[in-house]
């Protein structure tokens, strides 16, 4: 068997495993959300005064949302969700909030 055939079979196997994993998660009762839904939900949870976002590190709902996001959203999209949610608040200190939320995702 050629190397390309082996690679193709391996890719197909990974796709099947990913579909099964997503199917199990959906059957667990919590439907998978879209990236846009996570942006809106995170934006709704952020508390700010127009200058600073206050609850990035200590809010349990934000931590739970980020944990769910780790399961539903590919890792390369996490940064996009965080940045867009923070930018939607129109606060002046965006960078601090983005870094704090990124640190929660890494931890």
């Amino acid at each position: 068997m050629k190397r390309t055939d082996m690679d193709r079979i391996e890719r197909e196997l990974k796709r099947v495993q990913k579909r099964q994993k997503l199917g199990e998660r959906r059957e667990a009762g919590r439907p998978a959300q879209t990236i846009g839904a996570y942006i809106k939900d995170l934006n709704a949870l952020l508390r700010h005064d127009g200058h600073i976002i206050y609850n990035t590190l200590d809010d349990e709902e934000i931590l739970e949302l980020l944990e769910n996001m780790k399961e539903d959203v590919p890792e390369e999209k996490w940064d996009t969700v965080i940045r867009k949610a923070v930018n939607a608040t129109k606060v002046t200190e965006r960078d601090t909030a983005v870094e704090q939320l990124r640190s929660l995702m890494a931890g």
Side-chain angles (χ1 to χ4, degrees):
M1 189 178 294
K2 293 184 178 180
R3 174 97 175 136
T4 55
D5 292 335
M6 291 173 38
D7 289 342
R8 181 181 48 81
I9 291 170
E10 185 177 328
R11 284 192 308 271
E12 288 175 9
L13 180 63
K14 286 182 181 181
R15 284 186 200 124
V16 168
Q17 289 173 343
K18 184 176 180 181
R19 283 188 204 120
Q20 287 175 346
K21 184 178 171 184
L22 289 174
E24 291 171 2
R25 233 186 279 142
R26 287 187 185 122
E27 292 172 1
R30 185 182 56 80
Q33 288 187 321
T34 63
I35 292 173
Y38 276 112
I39 292 169
K40 288 178 185 176
D41 291 347
L42 182 57
N43 182 20
L45 292 174
L46 296 173
R47 302 289 169 240
H48 59 88
D49 64 358
H51 300 290
I52 299 172
I53 296 176
Y54 294 103
N55 63 337
T56 53
L57 295 176
D58 58 354
D59 192 332
E60 292 294 323
E61 291 180 5
I62 291 176
L63 292 174
E64 185 177 334
L65 181 79
L66 294 177
E67 288 298 320
N68 292 339
M69 190 173 78
K70 282 182 180 181
E71 295 175 3
D72 294 338
V73 177
E75 187 172 352
E76 59 269 5
K77 300 288 185 181
W78 294 352
D79 189 50
T80 303
V81 171
I82 291 170
R83 279 187 306 99
K84 287 189 176 194
V86 171
N87 287 343
T89 62
K90 307 283 189 220
V91 296
T92 55
E93 292 294 324
R94 292 182 186 126
D95 296 334
T96 305
V98 168
E99 288 303 318
Q100 289 173 345
L101 291 169
R102 281 183 189 158
S103 69
L104 289 176
M105 291 297 287

